[in-house]
Amino acid sequence: MNAAAADMPHRPWLGATKRLSALGPILALLALISIGSLLSDSFLSAGNLSNLLTRSAIVGIIAIGATYVITAGGLDLSVGSMSALIAGLVIMGMNAAGSSLGDSWLVVLIGIVLALALGVVAGTLNGILVVKGGIDAFIVTLGTMGIFRSVITWLSDGGSISLSSSLKGVARPLYYGSVAGVSYPLIAMIFLAVGAELVLRRARIGRHVTAIGSNPEVARYSAIRVHRVRILTYVFQGVCVALATMIYVPRLGAATPSTGLLWELEAIAAVIIGGTALKGGFGRIWGSIVGVLILGLIDNILNLTALASPYLNGAFQGIIIIIAVYLQKGRREV
Amino acid sequence: MNAAAADMPHRPWLGATKRLSALGPILALLALISIGSLLSDSFLSAGNLSNLLTRSAIVGIIAIGATYVITAGGLDLSVGSMSALIAGLVIMGMNAAGSSLGDSWLVVLIGIVLALALGVVAGTLNGILVVKGGIDAFIVTLGTMGIFRSVITWLSDGGSISLSSSLKGVARPLYYGSVAGVSYPLIAMIFLAVGAELVLRRARIGRHVTAIGSNPEVARYSAIRVHRVRILTYVFQGVCVALATMIYVPRLGAATPSTGLLWELEAIAAVIIGGTALKGGFGRIWGSIVGVLILGLIDNILNLTALASPYLNGAFQGIIIIIAVYLQKGRREV
Amino acid sequence: GKTIGISIPAATHGWTGGLNFQTKRTVEQMKKAFPDIEFVVAAANDASKQVNDVEDLVARGIDALVILPFESEPLTEPVKQAKAQGVFITTVDRGLAEEGIEDLYVGGNNPQYGVIAGQYFKKKFPDGAKIVVMRGIPTTIDNVRIDAFKKELEGSKVQILDMQFANWNPDKGFEVMQDFLQKFDAIDGVWAGDDDAALGAMEAIKQANRPKPIVVLGGSGMNKVVKMVKDGGGAVDADIFYPPTLIIPAIELTTMRAATQAPIRGRYILDSPLITKDNAEEFYFPDSPY
Amino acid sequence: MSAFVELRDVAKTYGLNPVLEDLTLSVDRGEILALVGENGAGKSTLMRIVGGYVPPTAGTALIDEHPLPATVQEAEDAGIVLIHQEFCLAPDLTVGENIFIGREPRRHLLVDYPKIRRESRLLLDALGSSADPCAKLSSLPNTEWQMVEVAKAFARNPKLLLMDEPTAVLGAREVEALFRRMRQFVSEGGSVIFTSHRLDEVKAIASRVAVLRDGRIRHVGPASDLTEDEMATLMVGRELSQLYPAKSAMPAGDVVLSVEDLHSPPHVSGVSFRLRRGEILGIAGLVGSGRTEAFEALAGLRPAQCRNFTLANAASGRLPTAREAWAAGLAYLTEDRKGKGLLLDAGLDENVSLTVGALRGRAWINRAEERGRLDQAVREFDIRRSAPDAIARSLSGGNQQKVLIAKTLASRPDVAIFDEPTRGVDIGSKQQIYRVIAGLAAQGAACVVISSEMQEVIGLAHRVLVMRKGSVAGELTGNDINESTIVRLAMGLTKEAA
Ligand SMILES: Nc1ncnc2c1ncn2[C@@H]1O[C@H](COP(=O)(O)OP(=O)(O)OP(=O)(O)O)[C@@H](O)[C@H]1O
Ligand SMILES: Nc1ncnc2c1ncn2[C@@H]1O[C@H](COP(=O)(O)OP(=O)(O)OP(=O)(O)O)[C@@H](O)[C@H]1O
Ligand SMILES: [Mg+2]
Ligand SMILES: [Mg+2]
C-alpha cells in the first residue's frame, strides 16, 4: 500500500538519513510537545502528562498487538468491537462473581483471567478464519467486528452494562492507581511494549513473524509453521485487547455499544505512524507507542488550546498525521 | 493482507477451478436472492428491486473508483468524507446559481460540473500526497478523510446544508427519473462499470494500473509512468465520488456532517468481496458491483424480514460477508 | 393484519441505545396485545441508510410508519412518498422539513432542553460562575440546544470558559473533562449535554480531586443519573428529562390507531422538565438499560 | 549397499501436461550428480519432488530405503535441503537470521545472536563470502543472496543437497569457492544433485551426469565420459553448431551513445565510453564491480549525474528518465527477472507487450497484435509453455528469461543493454540469444552485453570494457579480448591497457 515508497529505488546505503528516518516519529512527537507547551501553559504540567500517558495506555496496548499482526502481513479491524464485547462479558462475569465472593481482589483477578480467556478465543477465531479459511484478513475482521459489536449491543440491550458500584471501588486502582507517580496502565504498557519489542527482535517467534510478513514463501520454504505463527499473532492481538479492556473497565465501570468505537483505526494509524510497514515484514513496537502518543497529543492539545472552531479539530488531526508520517518517509527518500 | 492465499502455492494451471472461483461472488449473490425471495414476498417485487438497484448505484459508483485504486496497490479511505464535502459545496454552489439563474436545468448542470471539478481536485490532492509525498496511502487518505469531514462540519455548522426546495424539484429526476423502468442512477452505474471494466481489461491505462499494483518495480522498468498512473487512479476515484454525490444530492437534498459516513468501508469491502486483491495487481469491476449488491441485499433482506433483534443485524452482515468471500477463496484453493 | 414499520437511528450512543431498547420492549408488548399486527424495526447509522430503510419498509407494504428522523431534510422526501402511498406517518422527536406530512408527532423540546440547562446554572450560581460545556455529535439538535443554552445565559454572570465536542460518549466525556481540568484552575460547573458524557466527566472530576466541588449537569434522564439525583448527596443534583422513552407513546398511539381506527392525530409534545430530588421518583425507571 | 537416493519410474504431470515420465535415477553417498537438460525439461520439478515440495504423480522414490518425506519439514529433518532456482529469502531480515531461519539457536529463550553471528561467519567464510551476518539482506547484491542461500542450506546439516542452478548469478570467483565447498561436502559423505546450464562447470564438478530431455532420462554416466559438446547434443537432441556467431569486423558506424563521467554514488564513479552503431560492447568485471548500477543509471533507473550524455534521438546533455530512455531507443534488460522483469501473474503476451505498449501502444489494446507478438517470440526463442494462456510464473526459469528478452526487444531499440542475458538459459537457447544479439548489431543497433560468464563476453563482443570498483579499469579490442587480460584488469593486477 505504501505505493510511492515501492516505486522508489532501494537506496540502502543512505545510512545516515535512514537513521534520521527512524527518528521520524520521535521528531514528530517532539515537535508536537513543543507546540503544545508553547500554546498552553498547562500542557507540560505533571497532571496533564500523567492523564495523557495513562489514557494512551489503552489504545497503546492494543497497538502493540496490532504491530505484530501487521508485521506478519495481516490486519485486524475487530479490536474495538472485541474490546467492547470483552468489557461487557467481563463486567457481567465480575458482577456474578462479586455477588458470591464479595468485593474482593479475587473478583478482579477472575475478571482479568476471564478477559484473557475471551481475548484468546476471539483472537483464535480471527486467526483460524484467516489462515484455515483462506479468507482475506480485511474481510474476516470486518465480519467479526460486526459480529462482536452486535453481540455487545444485544447483551446490553443498547444500553450499558455496569460494574456493580462496590466492585468499581475495588477495581478502580487498575486504572487510577500508581507507583511513584507512574500509573499502573502506563507501567503495564511499558512492560508489555518492552517485552513485545524484545520478542519481536530477539525471540524465534518474533523473527518468524517478521519473516512471514516479509515473504510468506520463504517462511514456508524454511520449514516455519507459517499458519501457526500467523494464528498466534491474532491470538496475541486478542490478549492485548483483553489487557487494554481490563484497564478500560475500571475507568468508567461500564461497557456500552459505543465502547471502543474506531479504536481499530486509531491503532492501525498509530502503528503506521510509528514506521511499521502496512504490507508487513517490518515492525517496531516503540514506534507504535510513539504513534499512539502522537494521536493522543493531538487531541489533548486541541482540547487545551482553543485553536479554531472545534469543528475543525478533525482537519488538524488529519494534517498533523500526514506531516508526522511525511517526516519519516520524506527523509527516507531524499 | 491476503495472507492465507499468499501462503498457498500458486497453482495457475487450475484453469477450471479458477473459473469456478470467479463465479464465487455471483454464487453468493444468487444464494442471497434465493434466501430473500424465500423469506419475503415483497422481495422480488419490481418496486423493491428497483429501489435496491437504484440506491446501490451510489456506493456502486464509488466502488468502481475504489477498484482502480486498490488494483493499483493503493487505498482511499477518504471517499465518504469527500462525498460529504462535495455534496455540501455543490449544494451551496447550486443554491447560489439558482438564485441568479432561476430553477433551471442549467443549475443542475452547473452542479454536475462543479462536483466533477471538486472530485478531480480532491483526488489529485490524495494522489499527489501519496506519490510525490511518498506517504503511505492509508495515512494520506485517513488524513484527508478527517480534513474533508471537518470542513463539511464547519461549513454546515454541524447542521445540514440543504438544496433550496425549488431546485430540489428540478434535480429530483437525477435520482428518481427512469427510462423504460431503469432508473438513471442504475443506468449511470452500468455505463460507468462497463466502461471501467473495458478500460481495465482492454485499454493501455488499465493494463498499467494492474501492472503497477502487481509489481511497481517491473512497471518502472517497463517504461510505464508509474507516478502518473497512480495519481490518475486517485483522480478517477475522485470523479467517481463526484458522480455518486450527484446521485446522492437529489435523493437527500442535503449534506450533513454524517453524509457518507463509513462509505469507504462499504466500498472497500465490496471491492474485496468482488474478488479484487487488496494487495493490488488484480481487479474486476463487475465483482465490485456484485459486492455492492451483496451488501445492499443483506440490508434489504434484514429490513424486509424481521429476522431477529435488529441489534443482531450487524452479526448477520458479518457472517454473510465472511461466507460470501469464503465461497470464492475456498474454491480458489481446492 | 396490518404492518407497522419503525425506523430509528442505530445505537451509536447511550441515548439511541435506550431508544432501541424502548422500541424493542414496546413492540413486544404491543405484539402481545395485538397479535395480528406485525412490526418491522429498522435501525440506521446515517440519514442515507435511513432513507433506504424507509424505502424498504414501504416496499414491504406497511400501513403505518413510526420514524425518528436522523435529519429532517433528507427524510422529508421519502416520508412524503410513503404518505402518498397511504401510509400513516408518526414522527418522533424531530419534525420533517415540510409541514403537514405527519399524521402524528410525538416530540421532545430541544430548545427547552438548552433553556432549562441555562436556567439551572443561573439559579445555581446567582453570583456568577465559570462553566465548561461538552457538546454532542455535530448535528442540528446539538446546535439547537447549545444555541438556546447560550441565549439563556446571555446577560447572566455565568461565563462559559470553553466548549468541546464529547459526542454524547462517556469515554470522550472523560478525556475532554480531564483536559478542561488541566486547562482551567477554576471551574465551577460543567454542562455535559448528556448523561453519558456526564458520567465520564464525573470520573475525571473525582480523579482530579479538586478542593471545591464542581457541579455537573447532564441531560436526557439516564436511570443511573436519575438515581443519583434521587439519592442526593453526590455531585449531581439535577438532570434534564429528555428520555428515549418518548418512542413509547409514539408506537402505542400508532398501534392503537392501526388496531382500532381511532381518530388519532395531532402533536404530542413531551416537556423537558428539570429533574431534581423532589420529582426524581417520577422519572426513575430502574429496569431500563439507559 | 544400495544407493542413497533411488527414484523408480517417477512421473509428474501438471494438469494434463506430463513433465516427468518413467524416471529412474539413483544417487550415491559422496557423489555429485549433475542434472542437465533444456529449459523446461523438468530439472527443477525433479528437485522439488526429492525435496518434498511436490508429490510425484506416480512411481516410488526412496531415500536410505525409506519413502521420501512428504513435507519440507520432514525432508529437512531427514537432511534433504533444496536450494531453489529463484531466491527464497526474507529481504527484511539480516543475513544471519536468513541463514538460520526456522532453525534459530536459542539461549535463555531468546535467539542466540552471538552464535548466529559466529556460525554464519564460518558458513560464509567457507564459501568465500565476506557478507556481514548482521547486514539486512535487502542491502546486499544478488550474488551475496545466493551465497546466503547456500550458507542457509549448509546450516541445516544436510546429507543431500539439491542445488538448482546455484551458479547462475555467480561470477567465476564465487563459483570456484562454491565448488570447493561442495567438494569438501561430498568428501565428508554428503551427496549433491546439481543443475547448471554452464556445461564447463558440470564437467568440472560432477562425478556423474544425467541428461534429461522431454521429461525422460536420455543418458546417465560418468562426467568424464562426455564432452561438453556431447552433453549439449544429448540435451538438445540435435547437433549444435558453433555456439557464438561469427564476429563481424569492428564496425565504424556513427556514435549513438556517448557518456562522460557518469557518477552514481556509491557504486559508480567516473564511467565514460562511446558506443557505435552495429557494435557489441562487452562489459566484464567481477561481481559487485558496479556494472549493473552503471547501466541502470544510464537507463534512468537510479539517481546519477553525468557530465555529458548524448543519445542519438534524445535531448542530450542530461541523463534521461526511465521512460525517456526507452522512448529514445535505449532498452535495458534487467538481471532481476523476478523482481524487475516480469509480471509473474500476467500472461506471456501481456508481458512481452508491456514495454512496447507503454511506449507506443494505442489507447486500446490490440489483443491480436499482442498474441502475434508472443507467437513470434515463441518461435524466435523457442519458449516452452504448458498452455497457450500460461502465466509467466508457471514457466521454467530459462523460459521466463526468454520471455524477458522478447519483452525487452519488442520495442526494437537502437541501443540494447543486456544485463546477464543468458541467466538460467540452456545451451541451445543461448545460441539463439547470441544470434539475436549479433543480428541486432548487424542491423545497425548498438548492443551492450554485461555478463558474469566471461566466455560470453569474449565470444560476442567487438570491444570489452572491464569494470572494477565502479569505474572502467580498461578497454580491450581484437586479440586482447581474452580471459587472462580481462581477469587481470578486473582484479586490478594490470595498469590500464590502452
Ligand atoms: N506450477 C506449474 N504449473 C504448470 N506447469 C508447470 C509448473 N511448474 C513447472 N511447470 C512446467 O513443467 C515443465 C518443467 O519445468 P521445470 O521448472 O522443472 O524445468 P527446468 O528443467 O527446471 O527448466 P529451466 O532450465 O528453465 O529451469 C515446464 O514445461 C513448466 O512449464
Ligand atoms: N541494494 C544494494 N544496496 C547496497 N549496496 C548494493 C546494492 N546493490 C548492490 N550493491 C553494491 O554495489 C556494488 C555493485 O553491485 P552489483 O553486484 O549489482 O554489481 P555488478 O557489477 O552489476 O555485479 P553483478 O555481476 O552481480 O551484476 C557492490 O559492491 C554491491 O555490494
Ligand atoms: Mg529450473
Ligand atoms: Mg549485475
Side-chain angles (χ1 to χ4, degrees):
Chain A
M1 228 132 290
N2 178 1
D7 293 353
M8 294 283 166
H10 248 282
R11 284 172 237 162
W13 61 90
L14 289 173
T17 41
K18 225 183 130 198
R19 248 163 279 136
L20 243 180
S21 102
L23 292 182
I26 294 206
L27 286 181
L29 188 70
L30 290 180
L32 272 177
I33 292 177
S34 327
I35 293 174
S37 46
L38 279 179
L39 290 183
S40 156
D41 302 331
S42 29
F43 176 73
L44 281 183
S45 71
N48 187 51
L49 292 182
S50 159
N51 281 347
L52 181 65
L53 291 170
T54 305
R55 70 196 191 205
S56 294
I58 297 176
V59 177
I61 289 176
I62 293 178
I64 293 172
T67 311
Y68 269 66
V69 171
I70 294 175
T71 301
L75 191 69
D76 191 345
L77 297 174
S78 72
V79 291
S81 319
M82 193 194 289
S83 178
L85 180 56
I86 294 180
L89 291 172
V90 160
I91 291 175
M92 289 164 72
M94 284 172 72
N95 284 344
S99 66
S100 61
L101 294 175
D103 306 329
S104 77
W105 261 96
L106 197 60
V107 177
V108 176
L109 203 69
I110 291 177
I112 295 179
V113 172
L114 179 61
L116 290 176
L118 290 168
V120 168
V121 170
T124 310
L125 175 69
N126 280 335
I128 297 269
L129 281 171
V130 168
V131 167
K132 304 282 174 191
I135 313 171
D136 199 292
F138 184 93
I139 292 291
V140 165
T141 58
L142 184 71
T144 52
M145 163 171 142
I147 297 171
F148 297 153
R149 179 75 60 201
S150 282
V151 174
I152 176 67
T153 310
W154 177 71
L155 283 177
S156 68
D157 250 333
S160 68
I161 302 179
S162 303
L163 202 56
S164 77
S165 57
S166 50
L167 276 176
K168 220 165 141 183
V170 183
R172 216 179 124 81
L174 277 191
Y175 185 85
Y176 294 98
S178 64
V179 176
V182 188
S183 69
Y184 288 155
L186 186 56
I187 294 176
M189 176 174 83
I190 292 174
F191 267 89
L192 192 63
V194 170
E197 184 85 85
L198 198 69
V199 169
L200 191 58
R201 307 232 160 283
R202 290 277 171 261
R204 220 185 233 188
I205 179 89
R207 299 330 289 157
H208 294 181
V209 166
T210 310
I212 69 179
S214 177
N215 184 346
E217 256 175 46
V218 182
R220 208 160 46 89
Y221 288 175
S222 309
I224 291 179
R225 297 194 183 83
V226 179
H227 284 189
R228 202 163 77 169
V229 173
R230 196 181 289 290
I231 291 176
L232 276 181
T233 61
Y234 288 97
V235 173
F236 179 58
Q237 173 74 84
V239 168
C240 288
V241 170
L243 286 176
T245 308
M246 284 318 291
I247 293 172
Y248 172 83
V249 165
R251 184 165 92 175
L252 299 185
T256 70
S258 67
T259 295
L261 217 55
L262 296 186
W263 283 0
E264 59 280 355
L265 214 62
E266 228 175 294
I268 298 171
V271 170
I272 300 175
I273 292 173
T276 295
L278 187 51
K279 64 175 182 7
F282 175 74
R284 53 184 182 209
I285 304 286
W286 67 262
S288 306
I289 299 291
V290 171
V292 169
L293 293 180
I294 288 177
L295 293 177
L297 264 176
I298 298 175
D299 273 350
N300 183 243
I301 292 175
L302 289 173
N303 280 342
L304 288 184
T305 61
L307 268 182
S309 156
Y311 290 135
L312 291 176
N313 279 2
F316 283 106
Q317 280 171 342
I319 293 172
I320 294 175
I321 293 173
I322 293 178
I323 293 176
V325 174
Y326 182 73
L327 275 182
Q328 45 180 317
K329 302 275 165 166
R331 269 153 209 283
R332 191 178 287 171
E333 275 147 21
V334 166
Chain B
M1 232 131 293
N2 180 358
D7 292 353
M8 295 282 168
H10 248 277
R11 285 173 232 164
W13 60 94
L14 287 174
T17 40
K18 230 180 126 196
R19 247 165 276 134
L20 240 183
S21 103
L23 292 181
I26 293 205
L27 286 181
L29 188 69
L30 291 179
L32 273 177
I33 290 176
S34 328
I35 293 175
S37 46
L38 278 179
L39 290 183
S40 157
D41 303 331
S42 25
F43 178 73
L44 282 182
S45 72
N48 187 50
L49 290 182
S50 157
N51 280 347
L52 181 66
L53 290 169
T54 305
R55 68 192 184 214
S56 294
I58 296 176
V59 177
I61 289 176
I62 292 178
I64 293 172
T67 311
Y68 269 67
V69 171
I70 293 175
T71 301
L75 191 70
D76 192 343
L77 298 173
S78 73
V79 291
S81 317
M82 192 193 289
S83 178
L85 180 56
I86 294 180
L89 290 171
V90 161
I91 290 174
M92 288 165 70
M94 285 172 72
N95 284 345
S99 66
S100 61
L101 295 175
D103 306 329
S104 78
W105 261 95
L106 199 59
V107 177
V108 177
L109 204 70
I110 290 177
I112 295 179
V113 172
L114 180 59
L116 290 176
L118 289 168
V120 168
V121 170
T124 311
L125 175 68
N126 280 336
I128 297 269
L129 280 173
V130 168
V131 166
K132 304 282 175 195
I135 312 172
D136 198 290
F138 183 93
I139 291 290
V140 165
T141 57
L142 183 71
T144 53
M145 162 173 143
I147 296 172
F148 297 153
R149 179 74 59 202
S150 281
V151 174
I152 177 65
T153 310
W154 178 71
L155 283 176
S156 68
D157 239 334
S160 69
I161 303 179
S162 304
L163 200 57
S164 77
S165 56
S166 51
L167 276 176
K168 235 162 146 177
V170 183
R172 219 183 114 78
L174 278 192
Y175 185 85
Y176 291 96
S178 64
V179 178
V182 188
S183 69
Y184 288 154
L186 187 55
I187 295 177
M189 178 174 80
I190 292 173
F191 266 91
L192 193 62
V194 170
E197 184 84 85
L198 211 65
V199 168
L200 193 57
R201 309 235 160 280
R202 291 275 170 267
R204 191 154 71 133
I205 180 87
R207 163 137 334 154
H208 293 179
V209 166
T210 313
I212 67 176
S214 175
N215 186 339
E217 278 292 275
V218 171
R220 199 167 69 94
Y221 274 69
S222 305
I224 292 172
R225 293 190 186 92
V226 179
H227 283 188
R228 199 160 81 169
V229 173
R230 194 179 292 289
I231 292 176
L232 277 179
T233 61
Y234 287 97
V235 173
F236 179 58
Q237 173 73 85
V239 168
C240 289
V241 170
L243 287 175
T245 308
M246 284 319 290
I247 293 173
Y248 174 88
V249 165
R251 174 166 155 92
L252 297 188
T256 71
S258 70
T259 296
L261 216 54
L262 296 187
W263 282 0
E264 59 281 353
L265 215 60
E266 227 175 296
I268 298 171
V271 169
I272 300 175
I273 292 172
T276 295
L278 187 52
K279 65 178 180 1
F282 175 75
R284 52 184 184 208
I285 303 288
W286 68 262
S288 306
I289 300 291
V290 171
V292 169
L293 292 180
I294 288 178
L295 292 178
L297 264 178
I298 298 176
D299 274 349
N300 185 244
I301 293 176
L302 289 174
N303 279 342
L304 290 183
T305 62
L307 268 183
S309 156
Y311 293 141
L312 291 177
N313 279 1
F316 282 108
Q317 280 172 343
I319 293 170
I320 295 174
I321 293 173
I322 292 178
I323 293 176
V325 173
Y326 183 73
L327 274 182
Q328 47 179 314
K329 299 278 164 158
R331 267 152 210 285
R332 189 177 287 170
E333 276 147 19
V334 166
Chain C
K2 300 204 167 176
T3 308
I4 295 177
I6 300 169
S7 167
I8 51 174
T12 50
H13 57 276
W15 193 87
T16 45
L19 179 79
N20 275 265
F21 171 78
Q22 300 299 353
T23 304
K24 198 177 112 197
R25 210 179 57 170
T26 313
V27 163
E28 273 157 19
Q29 284 168 357
M30 290 294 111
K31 266 184 189 158
K32 268 191 216 116
F34 305 96
D36 50 328
I37 293 186
E38 218 185 311
F39 293 86
V40 195
V41 183
N45 279 314
D46 58 46
S48 66
K49 167 84 167 54
Q50 195 175 23
V51 173
N52 294 352
D53 287 349
V54 172
E55 282 180 356
D56 284 350
L57 293 174
V58 172
R60 195 171 193 275
I62 50 170
D63 302 286
L65 173 70
V66 179
I67 179 168
L68 196 164
F70 238 98
E71 296 281 344
S72 303
E73 287 282 344
L75 269 306
T76 302
E77 192 59 41
V79 174
K80 207 164 143 191
Q81 297 293 314
K83 172 88 179 171
Q85 309 248 334
V87 176
F88 180 88
I89 307 289
T90 303
T91 51
V92 187
D93 190 25
R94 206 160 314 152
L96 296 168
E98 225 171 281
E99 300 271 314
I101 298 175
E102 69 265 15
D103 298 288
L104 178 65
Y105 173 75
V106 180
N109 193 332
N110 278 310
Q112 193 196 0
Y113 192 96
V115 170
I116 296 267
Q119 283 171 350
Y120 171 84
F121 283 107
K122 275 201 297 197
K123 189 157 156 238
K124 193 93 194 169
F125 301 111
D127 305 328
K130 290 178 171 159
I131 64 167
V132 289
V133 176
M134 285 177 202
R135 305 192 56 167
I137 295 170
T139 43
T140 318
I141 330 166
D142 186 60
N143 286 350
V144 169
R145 291 176 179 178
I146 295 291
D147 288 346
F149 179 74
K150 282 201 285 201
K151 193 136 174 268
E152 184 63 29
L153 286 185
E154 257 169 36
S156 79
K157 288 188 194 148
V158 178
Q159 183 202 346
I160 299 177
L161 292 172
D162 204 351
M163 291 199 192
Q164 289 289 346
F165 285 94
N167 298 353
W168 296 322
N169 175 306
D171 296 309
K172 195 82 174 130
F174 176 80
E175 289 178 11
V176 170
M177 193 65 212
Q178 272 195 335
D179 290 348
F180 278 155
L181 285 164
Q182 291 301 330
K183 186 173 178 183
F184 304 108
D185 290 328
I187 299 178
D188 301 304
V190 48
W191 186 36
D194 162 275
D195 287 339
D196 261 313
L199 286 176
M202 278 183 245
E203 287 294 344
I205 292 170
K206 189 169 161 194
Q207 182 205 17
N209 211 3
R210 289 262 167 114
K212 200 169 140 235
I214 295 173
V215 171
V216 180
L217 178 68
S220 79
M222 182 198 274
N223 57 359
K224 241 197 256 180
V225 177
V226 176
K227 182 156 190 319
M228 284 186 215
V229 174
K230 188 166 76 94
D231 296 347
V236 270
D237 59 2
D239 198 7
I240 307 166
F241 191 63
Y242 197 93
T245 43
L246 52 75
I247 193 82
I248 299 176
I251 296 175
E252 285 178 352
L253 288 170
T254 310
T255 313
M256 223 63 93
R257 140 95 205 195
T260 64
Q261 297 301 317
I264 291 171
R265 41 175 52 253
R267 299 171 67 78
Y268 183 93
I269 308 288
L270 288 155
D271 252 358
S272 279
L274 193 69
I275 306 172
T276 58
K277 197 166 168 32
D278 305 331
N279 63 357
E281 193 58 47
E282 196 184 322
F283 299 101
Y284 181 51
F285 308 101
D287 299 337
S288 165
Y290 181 71
Chain D
M1 196 180 88
S2 64
F4 182 46
V5 181
E6 176 109 53
L7 302 178
R8 263 184 249 133
D9 303 325
V10 165
K12 175 75 195 171
T13 43
Y14 278 122
L16 295 175
N17 279 348
V19 174
L20 295 178
E21 289 171 284
D22 299 336
L23 192 133
T24 299
L25 190 66
S26 64
V27 187
D28 287 327
R29 283 195 180 73
E31 88 164 333
I32 298 178
L33 173 78
L35 206 55
V36 299
E38 277 183 300
N39 295 131
K43 303 180 292 298
S44 299
T45 306
L46 181 60
M47 296 259 194
R48 282 191 213 117
I49 290 173
V50 178
Y53 286 83
V54 294
T57 332
T60 40
L62 302 173
I63 176 158
D64 247 351
E65 302 180 330
H66 297 292
L68 272 185
T71 67
V72 181
Q73 207 136 14
E74 286 167 29
E76 284 198 357
D77 291 343
I80 307 173
V81 179
L82 170 57
I83 299 173
H84 291 263
Q85 185 168 5
E86 308 285 350
F87 293 125
C88 226
L89 297 169
D92 297 301
L93 300 187
T94 65
V95 169
E97 285 169 343
N98 267 294
I99 291 176
F100 282 96
I101 191 169
R103 307 258 145 174
E104 296 85 353
R106 271 193 297 193
R107 222 175 107 213
H108 310 311
L109 292 174
L110 295 183
V111 174
D112 187 351
Y113 275 92
K115 187 165 176 196
I116 285 194
R117 227 170 299 142
R118 261 192 330 269
E119 304 212 339
S120 302
R121 184 70 274 144
L122 290 179
L123 288 162
L124 289 167
D125 281 345
L127 293 165
S129 161
S130 57
D132 175 6
C134 301
K136 211 172 171 187
L137 186 74
S138 59
S139 71
L140 296 179
N142 279 1
T143 342
E144 298 291 3
W145 285 43
Q146 186 60 35
M147 289 310 189
V148 173
E149 286 272 20
V150 177
K152 177 178 160 188
F154 277 114
R156 275 143 214 260
N157 293 321
K159 291 194 206 112
L160 171 64
L161 259 186
L162 306 164
M163 308 178 92
D164 198 353
E165 297 193 30
T167 57
V169 286
L170 300 182
R173 224 174 22 163
E174 289 77 14
V175 171
E176 224 165 89
L178 176 62
F179 283 1
R180 226 177 296 128
R181 183 73 186 83
M182 286 164 69
R183 285 196 189 98
Q184 187 202 336
F185 175 65
V186 292
S187 72
E188 292 161 357
S191 311
V192 177
I193 305 180
F194 163 87
T195 70
S196 172
H197 290 295
R198 301 179 181 172
L199 299 178
D200 52 337
E201 291 177 2
V202 171
K203 200 96 182 100
I205 188 82
S207 42
R208 277 196 308 147
V209 180
V211 181
L212 208 57
R213 175 147 52 87
D214 299 333
R216 291 168 193 273
I217 300 269
R218 298 294 155 156
H219 173 93
V220 193
S224 47
D225 288 1
L226 290 175
T227 66
E228 286 177 38
D229 279 340
E230 284 166 347
M231 270 188 243
T233 309
L234 278 168
M235 276 167 58
V236 185
R238 63 188 152 86
E239 196 85 25
L240 273 185
S241 52
Q242 182 73 33
L243 185 57
Y244 297 100
K247 267 190 214 183
S248 60
M250 180 77 168
D254 6 323
V255 173
V256 278
L257 173 66
S258 102
V259 182
E260 264 177 62
D261 206 14
L262 176 74
H263 286 266
S264 176
H267 306 301
V268 183
S269 49
V271 168
S272 309
F273 67 92
R274 291 155 170 256
L275 194 60
R276 295 178 182 279
R277 231 172 252 298
E279 181 181 32
I280 301 177
L281 176 66
I283 309 291
L286 298 181
V287 160
S289 55
R291 297 164 299 173
T292 298
E293 281 76 6
F295 285 89
E296 280 192 347
L298 286 183
L301 295 163
R302 56 172 67 226
Q305 310 84 44
C306 160
R307 181 130 45 82
N308 191 11
F309 173 91
T310 322
L311 181 61
N313 4 334
S316 56
R318 71 181 170 82
L319 287 166
T321 64
R323 198 179 151 82
E324 285 166 0
W326 279 103
L330 178 83
Y332 173 75
L333 175 97
T334 174
E335 62 177 347
D336 181 4
R337 71 173 168 252
K338 193 180 174 194
K340 298 176 178 130
L342 295 178
L343 294 175
L344 293 177
D345 291 314
L348 302 185
D349 46 355
E350 242 182 275
N351 268 303
V352 169
S353 297
L354 193 59
T355 308
V356 65
L359 287 172
R360 309 195 261 281
R362 268 163 296 153
W364 293 97
I365 288 165
N366 183 344
R367 295 285 293 164
E369 186 184 319
E370 287 195 342
R371 265 189 298 263
R373 207 174 274 137
L374 174 64
D375 288 341
Q376 193 192 335
V378 166
R379 278 194 306 274
E380 189 171 358
F381 295 101
D382 188 22
I383 296 169
R384 309 269 173 92
R385 50 195 167 152
S386 42
D389 61 348
I391 60 170
R393 192 187 292 279
S394 75
L395 259 56
S396 78
N399 283 303
Q400 287 181 16
Q401 183 69 19
K402 298 183 209 164
V403 173
L404 181 59
I405 292 179
K407 173 190 168 205
T408 311
L409 296 183
S411 63
R412 313 227 161 278
D414 295 326
V415 179
I417 300 165
F418 297 91
D419 197 350
E420 311 286 358
T422 59
R423 163 174 295 182
V425 163
D426 69 42
I427 186 137
S429 305
K430 271 184 192 171
Q431 191 188 29
Q432 281 163 306
I433 292 172
Y434 298 147
R435 290 234 179 85
V436 168
I437 294 175
L440 218 56
Q443 285 162 28
C447 298
V448 175
V449 176
I450 307 169
S451 177
S452 300
E453 246 186 291
M454 212 178 301
Q455 285 311 323
E456 204 163 88
V457 174
I458 296 171
L460 278 176
H462 295 116
R463 186 160 61 99
V464 174
L465 294 184
V466 183
M467 281 188 68
R468 177 177 153 71
K469 290 189 174 161
S471 34
V472 178
E475 181 180 328
L476 304 172
T477 46
N479 288 335
D480 289 343
I481 305 180
N482 61 56
E483 204 154 325
S484 66
T485 329
I486 292 178
V487 168
R488 294 174 71 80
L489 278 172
M491 308 210 8
L493 301 178
T494 331
K495 285 259 169 264
E496 174 134 2

